[in-house]
Amino acid sequence: MKKDGSVIEKRLQNMKKFYLKASDLIDNLPDSIPEKTRALLKEKILGDKDLKKLMEGIDSHRPPRFFLIGRTGVGKSSLINALCGSYVAKVSDTKSCTEQAKPYYCKDGDRILMEIMDTRGIAESLSVDNTKTAEDMLIDQINEFSPDVAIFMLNCTHRDDIVEDVEFLKKLASSYAKINNVRLPIVVVVNKSDEMAPPRFKLPTEYPQSKINKIQEQVQYYKGIIVKNGLKIDNIIAVSSYIDWMTADGMSVTVEDIDKLPQEDIDNLQMEFDGRYRIEELLNILEMAIQDFEAQAGLRMAARLNEVVNRVAKQLNTIFSTISGTIALTPIPVSDIYILLLLQAVLVSLIASLSGRDISLDTAKEFILGLGGIVGAGYTFKFIAQQGSKLLNALWPGVGSFISAGIATAGTSAIGNSAILYYLDEKNLEEVKKVFRNNQKEKTPEKETDNSSTTE
Ligand SMILES: Nc1nc2c(ncn2[C@@H]2O[C@H](COP(=O)(O)OP(=O)(O)OP(=O)(O)O)[C@@H](O)[C@H]2O)c(=O)[nH]1
Ligand SMILES: [Mg+2]
């Protein structure tokens, strides 16, 4: 896990470096490429706001801060582990584990994944000193911590009295809004869905409909109380944080036993059974609720590091496909159509750099031409410029000398997908070509062209 984390971070950095180099790369293209083509490419790639934001997110991220409120044993610590997919927060089976509302870091090795502050719910946490001042002090503490989201955790199988906590959250939200001039996002998480009858179905894919219905009823029940009491929330979702853990050498451990393990074993705990239910959806909800861009990126880096690369690749693909469409909308001479090919070469190179490889624009170009069945190294950009529409015809049959925005967008997207399959999913080239050809058949809009020359 730790290793994966740092490798992936490196790969993302790699891609960013390539992006930063893009301007030089374009400047160093052969002289046969006209100045205005270079300028257009630069403007499209470096001036794209979404792309810039994506690149900025690579290193401007910070751990998201969560304030959790929920009774002892509702699964606050387990939820953090479920979100991170690793054992980072101490879970307790017997006694109350989280002693006070004190912020702490959840770490994976040296990496800080999240900052958490939790409290056992107002009724429990103030039971020792149930005074107005104690409540106000807690609110001050939370405001100082300045959470990105407050997560209100409830139990799917109990019908606890939650009114006091709802009132507390209302008070907290109002003081937070006064101090920060923004609303405090609140997400309600109804945990332990797996325990809803019949509890023997622990694997979410095997939950019978009757269980899912009961879970939903519980959500509606809680939602009713929350709405009735006037607390504004962003979302409410039922989840299960249920995970069984084992050591790296395959020994099952209960949550009670984990404490007794040496730290190294704890750091290397693996999932033995993954009973997580709708945690992915919860991540989406949290991502939407977080207002701060850096914290949003931080959540992704914490919880979805393995996914981040694929996500980034898909985002790159969408951005470049859109850019291709806008290029096609700009009236450009036929011989300039190969600008699309250059743009796609940059896209392929970026995707390749995400896989940890450094490939030149030439290699990327060969990859693209290879998809269209144009083989043989050594096609110069000049040659492509001269043969522009003919080559494009091989990539997107029926294009002729005219490229519509639809074809350009779909074509770039098909090439991006092929690069993802080849460089990131490590499929072999033959397989990739097959997918590319099928994709082409489906996506090439028939009405876009009037000179429908040969398809296969
Ligand atoms: N079946 C099931 N058990 C859960 C789930 N989430 C947590 N648990 C169990 O509930 C117990 C308490 O979980 P914790 O995560 O320690 O709860 P907590 O809210 O952090 O508790 P405190 O720190 O004491 O406030 C542990 O035995 C967990 O394994 C879940 O979704 N399903
Ligand atoms: Mg806890």
Side-chain angles (χ1 to χ4, degrees), residues 70-79 90-93 95-98 118 120 191-195 202 239-242 255:
R71 310 255 155 139
T72 300
V74 71
K76 298 180 292 295
S77 305
S78 304
L79 179 76
K90 195 171 153 184
V91 175
S92 83
D93 204 8
K95 60 178 169 43
S96 164
C97 176
T98 314
D118 63 23
R120 283 162 281 162
N191 193 38
K192 302 201 183 186
S193 292
D194 58 288
E195 288 191 343
K202 290 281 184 229
V239 305
S240 166
S241 310
Y242 187 83
V255 282

CSV table of all heavy atoms in Angstrom, one decimal, residues 70-79 90-93 95-98 118 120 191-195 202 239-242 255, ligand 1:
chain,number,residue,atom,x,y,z
A,70,GLY,N,-21.0,11.1,16.2
A,70,GLY,CA,-21.8,9.8,16.3
A,70,GLY,C,-21.4,9.1,17.5
A,70,GLY,O,-20.3,9.2,18.1
A,71,ARG,N,-22.4,8.3,18.0
A,71,ARG,CA,-22.3,7.6,19.3
A,71,ARG,C,-21.1,6.7,19.3
A,71,ARG,O,-20.7,6.2,18.2
A,71,ARG,CB,-23.6,6.8,19.5
A,71,ARG,CG,-24.8,7.5,19.4
A,71,ARG,CD,-25.4,7.8,20.7
A,71,ARG,NE,-26.3,9.0,20.5
A,71,ARG,CZ,-27.4,9.1,21.1
A,71,ARG,NH1,-27.9,8.2,21.8
A,71,ARG,NH2,-28.1,10.2,20.9
A,72,THR,N,-20.7,6.3,20.5
A,72,THR,CA,-19.6,5.3,20.6
A,72,THR,C,-20.0,4.0,19.9
A,72,THR,O,-21.1,3.6,20.0
A,72,THR,CB,-19.5,4.9,22.1
A,72,THR,OG1,-19.1,6.1,22.8
A,72,THR,CG2,-18.4,3.9,22.3
A,73,GLY,N,-19.1,3.5,19.1
A,73,GLY,CA,-19.3,2.2,18.4
A,73,GLY,C,-20.2,2.3,17.2
A,73,GLY,O,-20.4,1.3,16.6
A,74,VAL,N,-20.6,3.5,16.8
A,74,VAL,CA,-21.4,3.6,15.5
A,74,VAL,C,-20.5,3.3,14.3
A,74,VAL,O,-21.0,2.9,13.3
A,74,VAL,CB,-22.1,5.0,15.4
A,74,VAL,CG1,-21.1,6.1,15.1
A,74,VAL,CG2,-23.1,5.0,14.3
A,75,GLY,N,-19.2,3.4,14.5
A,75,GLY,CA,-18.3,3.0,13.4
A,75,GLY,C,-17.5,4.2,12.8
A,75,GLY,O,-17.2,4.2,11.6
A,76,LYS,N,-17.2,5.2,13.6
A,76,LYS,CA,-16.5,6.4,13.0
A,76,LYS,C,-15.1,6.1,12.6
A,76,LYS,O,-14.8,6.4,11.4
A,76,LYS,CB,-16.5,7.5,14.1
A,76,LYS,CG,-17.8,8.0,14.5
A,76,LYS,CD,-17.8,9.1,15.6
A,76,LYS,CE,-17.3,8.7,16.9
A,76,LYS,NZ,-18.1,7.7,17.6
A,77,SER,N,-14.4,5.4,13.4
A,77,SER,CA,-13.1,5.0,13.0
A,77,SER,C,-13.1,4.0,11.9
A,77,SER,O,-12.3,4.1,10.9
A,77,SER,CB,-12.3,4.3,14.2
A,77,SER,OG,-12.3,5.2,15.3
A,78,SER,N,-14.1,3.1,11.9
A,78,SER,CA,-14.2,2.1,10.8
A,78,SER,C,-14.5,2.8,9.5
A,78,SER,O,-14.0,2.3,8.4
A,78,SER,CB,-15.3,1.1,11.1
A,78,SER,OG,-15.1,0.5,12.4
A,79,LEU,N,-15.3,3.8,9.6
A,79,LEU,CA,-15.6,4.5,8.3
A,79,LEU,C,-14.3,5.1,7.7
A,79,LEU,O,-14.2,5.1,6.5
A,79,LEU,CB,-16.6,5.6,8.6
A,79,LEU,CG,-17.0,6.4,7.3
A,79,LEU,CD1,-18.0,5.6,6.5
A,79,LEU,CD2,-17.6,7.8,7.7
A,90,LYS,N,-7.7,3.7,14.5
A,90,LYS,CA,-7.9,2.6,15.5
A,90,LYS,C,-9.4,2.4,15.7
A,90,LYS,O,-10.2,3.3,15.9
A,90,LYS,CB,-7.3,3.1,16.8
A,90,LYS,CG,-7.1,2.0,17.8
A,90,LYS,CD,-6.3,2.6,18.9
A,90,LYS,CE,-6.6,1.9,20.2
A,90,LYS,NZ,-5.9,2.4,21.3
A,91,VAL,N,-9.8,1.1,15.6
A,91,VAL,CA,-11.2,0.7,15.8
A,91,VAL,C,-11.3,0.0,17.1
A,91,VAL,O,-10.5,-0.8,17.5
A,91,VAL,CB,-11.6,-0.2,14.6
A,91,VAL,CG1,-13.0,-0.8,14.9
A,91,VAL,CG2,-11.5,0.4,13.3
A,92,SER,N,-12.4,0.3,17.8
A,92,SER,CA,-12.5,-0.5,19.1
A,92,SER,C,-13.8,-1.3,19.1
A,92,SER,O,-14.8,-0.9,18.6
A,92,SER,CB,-12.5,0.5,20.3
A,92,SER,OG,-13.7,1.0,20.5
A,93,ASP,N,-13.6,-2.5,19.7
A,93,ASP,CA,-14.7,-3.4,19.7
A,93,ASP,C,-15.4,-3.3,21.1
A,93,ASP,O,-16.6,-3.5,21.2
A,93,ASP,CB,-14.2,-4.8,19.5
A,93,ASP,CG,-15.3,-5.7,18.9
A,93,ASP,OD1,-16.4,-5.2,18.6
A,93,ASP,OD2,-15.1,-6.9,18.8
A,95,LYS,N,-14.5,-1.0,24.5
A,95,LYS,CA,-14.8,0.2,25.2
A,95,LYS,C,-14.6,1.4,24.2
A,95,LYS,O,-14.1,1.3,23.1
A,95,LYS,CB,-13.8,0.4,26.3
A,95,LYS,CG,-12.3,0.4,25.9
A,95,LYS,CD,-11.5,0.6,27.1
A,95,LYS,CE,-10.0,0.4,26.9
A,95,LYS,NZ,-9.4,0.9,25.8
A,96,SER,N,-15.1,2.5,24.7
A,96,SER,CA,-15.0,3.7,23.9
A,96,SER,C,-13.6,4.0,23.7
A,96,SER,O,-12.8,4.1,24.5
A,96,SER,CB,-15.7,4.8,24.7
A,96,SER,OG,-15.3,6.0,24.1
A,97,CYS,N,-13.4,4.2,22.4
A,97,CYS,CA,-12.0,4.3,21.9
A,97,CYS,C,-11.5,5.8,21.8
A,97,CYS,O,-10.5,6.2,22.2
A,97,CYS,CB,-11.9,3.6,20.6
A,97,CYS,SG,-10.4,3.6,19.8
A,98,THR,N,-12.4,6.5,21.1
A,98,THR,CA,-12.0,7.9,20.9
A,98,THR,C,-12.4,8.7,22.1
A,98,THR,O,-13.6,8.9,22.4
A,98,THR,CB,-12.8,8.4,19.6
A,98,THR,OG1,-12.7,7.4,18.7
A,98,THR,CG2,-12.2,9.7,19.1
A,118,ASP,N,-13.2,13.7,16.1
A,118,ASP,CA,-14.5,13.1,16.3
A,118,ASP,C,-15.0,13.3,17.7
A,118,ASP,O,-14.3,13.6,18.6
A,118,ASP,CB,-14.6,11.7,15.8
A,118,ASP,CG,-13.7,10.7,16.5
A,118,ASP,OD1,-13.3,10.9,17.6
A,118,ASP,OD2,-13.4,9.6,15.8
A,120,ARG,N,-18.3,11.8,20.4
A,120,ARG,CA,-19.3,10.7,20.5
A,120,ARG,C,-20.7,11.2,20.5
A,120,ARG,O,-21.6,10.4,20.9
A,120,ARG,CB,-19.0,9.9,21.8
A,120,ARG,CG,-17.8,9.0,21.7
A,120,ARG,CD,-17.3,8.7,23.0
A,120,ARG,NE,-16.5,9.7,23.6
A,120,ARG,CZ,-16.2,9.8,24.9
A,120,ARG,NH1,-16.7,9.0,25.7
A,120,ARG,NH2,-15.4,10.8,25.3
A,191,ASN,N,-24.6,4.1,9.1
A,191,ASN,CA,-23.6,3.0,9.0
A,191,ASN,C,-24.2,1.6,9.5
A,191,ASN,O,-25.3,1.6,10.0
A,191,ASN,CB,-22.4,3.3,9.9
A,191,ASN,CG,-21.2,2.4,9.6
A,191,ASN,OD1,-21.0,2.0,8.5
A,191,ASN,ND2,-20.5,2.1,10.6
A,192,LYS,N,-23.5,0.6,9.2
A,192,LYS,CA,-23.8,-0.8,9.6
A,192,LYS,C,-25.0,-1.3,8.9
A,192,LYS,O,-25.9,-2.1,9.4
A,192,LYS,CB,-24.0,-0.9,11.1
A,192,LYS,CG,-22.8,-0.5,11.9
A,192,LYS,CD,-22.8,-1.0,13.4
A,192,LYS,CE,-21.5,-0.5,14.1
A,192,LYS,NZ,-21.4,-1.1,15.4
A,193,SER,N,-25.2,-0.9,7.6
A,193,SER,CA,-26.3,-1.4,6.8
A,193,SER,C,-26.3,-3.0,6.7
A,193,SER,O,-27.3,-3.6,6.6
A,193,SER,CB,-26.1,-0.9,5.4
A,193,SER,OG,-26.4,0.4,5.3
A,194,ASP,N,-25.0,-3.5,6.8
A,194,ASP,CA,-24.9,-5.0,6.7
A,194,ASP,C,-25.7,-5.7,7.8
A,194,ASP,O,-26.1,-6.9,7.7
A,194,ASP,CB,-23.5,-5.4,6.7
A,194,ASP,CG,-22.7,-4.9,8.0
A,194,ASP,OD1,-22.5,-3.7,8.1
A,194,ASP,OD2,-22.4,-5.8,8.8
A,195,GLU,N,-25.8,-5.0,9.0
A,195,GLU,CA,-26.5,-5.6,10.1
A,195,GLU,C,-28.0,-5.6,10.0
A,195,GLU,O,-28.7,-6.2,10.8
A,195,GLU,CB,-26.0,-4.9,11.4
A,195,GLU,CG,-24.6,-5.3,11.8
A,195,GLU,CD,-24.2,-4.9,13.1
A,195,GLU,OE1,-24.9,-4.1,13.8
A,195,GLU,OE2,-23.2,-5.4,13.6
A,202,LYS,N,-23.6,-10.4,4.1
A,202,LYS,CA,-22.6,-9.4,4.4
A,202,LYS,C,-22.0,-8.8,3.1
A,202,LYS,O,-21.4,-7.7,3.1
A,202,LYS,CB,-21.4,-10.0,5.2
A,202,LYS,CG,-21.8,-10.3,6.7
A,202,LYS,CD,-21.8,-9.1,7.5
A,202,LYS,CE,-22.1,-9.4,9.0
A,202,LYS,NZ,-23.2,-8.5,9.5
A,239,VAL,N,-24.5,3.2,4.4
A,239,VAL,CA,-23.3,2.4,4.0
A,239,VAL,C,-23.0,1.3,5.0
A,239,VAL,O,-23.7,1.2,6.0
A,239,VAL,CB,-22.0,3.4,4.0
A,239,VAL,CG1,-22.3,4.6,3.2
A,239,VAL,CG2,-21.6,3.7,5.4
A,240,SER,N,-22.1,0.5,4.6
A,240,SER,CA,-21.5,-0.4,5.6
A,240,SER,C,-20.0,-0.3,5.5
A,240,SER,O,-19.4,-0.2,4.4
A,240,SER,CB,-21.8,-1.9,5.3
A,240,SER,OG,-21.0,-2.7,6.1
A,241,SER,N,-19.3,-0.2,6.7
A,241,SER,CA,-17.9,0.0,6.8
A,241,SER,C,-17.2,-1.3,7.1
A,241,SER,O,-16.1,-1.4,7.5
A,241,SER,CB,-17.5,1.0,7.8
A,241,SER,OG,-18.3,2.2,7.7
A,242,TYR,N,-18.0,-2.4,7.0
A,242,TYR,CA,-17.6,-3.7,7.5
A,242,TYR,C,-16.4,-4.3,6.7
A,242,TYR,O,-16.5,-4.5,5.5
A,242,TYR,CB,-18.7,-4.7,7.4
A,242,TYR,CG,-18.4,-6.0,8.1
A,242,TYR,CD1,-18.5,-6.2,9.5
A,242,TYR,CD2,-17.9,-7.1,7.3
A,242,TYR,CE1,-18.2,-7.4,10.0
A,242,TYR,CE2,-17.6,-8.3,7.9
A,242,TYR,CZ,-17.7,-8.4,9.3
A,242,TYR,OH,-17.4,-9.6,9.9
A,255,VAL,N,-10.7,-7.1,15.4
A,255,VAL,CA,-10.3,-5.7,15.7
A,255,VAL,C,-9.7,-5.6,17.1
A,255,VAL,O,-8.8,-4.7,17.3
A,255,VAL,CB,-11.5,-4.7,15.6
A,255,VAL,CG1,-11.7,-4.3,14.1
A,255,VAL,CG2,-12.7,-5.1,16.2
B,1,LIG,N1,-21.2,-5.1,11.1
B,1,LIG,C1,-20.6,-3.9,11.1
B,1,LIG,N2,-19.8,-3.6,12.1
B,1,LIG,C2,-19.2,-2.4,12.1
B,1,LIG,C3,-19.4,-1.4,11.0
B,1,LIG,N3,-18.7,-0.3,11.3
B,1,LIG,C4,-18.0,-0.5,12.5
B,1,LIG,N4,-18.3,-1.8,13.0
B,1,LIG,C5,-17.9,-2.4,14.2
B,1,LIG,O1,-18.4,-1.5,15.3
B,1,LIG,C6,-17.4,-1.5,16.4
B,1,LIG,C7,-17.1,-0.1,16.7
B,1,LIG,O2,-16.4,0.6,15.6
B,1,LIG,P1,-15.5,1.9,15.7
B,1,LIG,O3,-15.1,2.2,14.3
B,1,LIG,O4,-14.5,1.7,16.7
B,1,LIG,O5,-16.6,2.9,16.3
B,1,LIG,P2,-16.3,4.4,16.7
B,1,LIG,O6,-17.6,5.2,16.4
B,1,LIG,O7,-15.1,4.9,16.2
B,1,LIG,O8,-16.3,4.3,18.3
B,1,LIG,P3,-15.7,5.3,19.4
B,1,LIG,O9,-14.3,5.6,18.9
B,1,LIG,O10,-15.7,4.5,20.6
B,1,LIG,O11,-16.5,6.5,19.4
B,1,LIG,C8,-16.3,-2.3,15.9
B,1,LIG,O12,-16.4,-3.6,16.4
B,1,LIG,C9,-16.4,-2.3,14.4
B,1,LIG,O13,-15.8,-3.5,13.8
B,1,LIG,C10,-20.2,-1.8,10.0
B,1,LIG,O14,-20.5,-1.1,9.0
B,1,LIG,N5,-20.8,-3.1,10.1
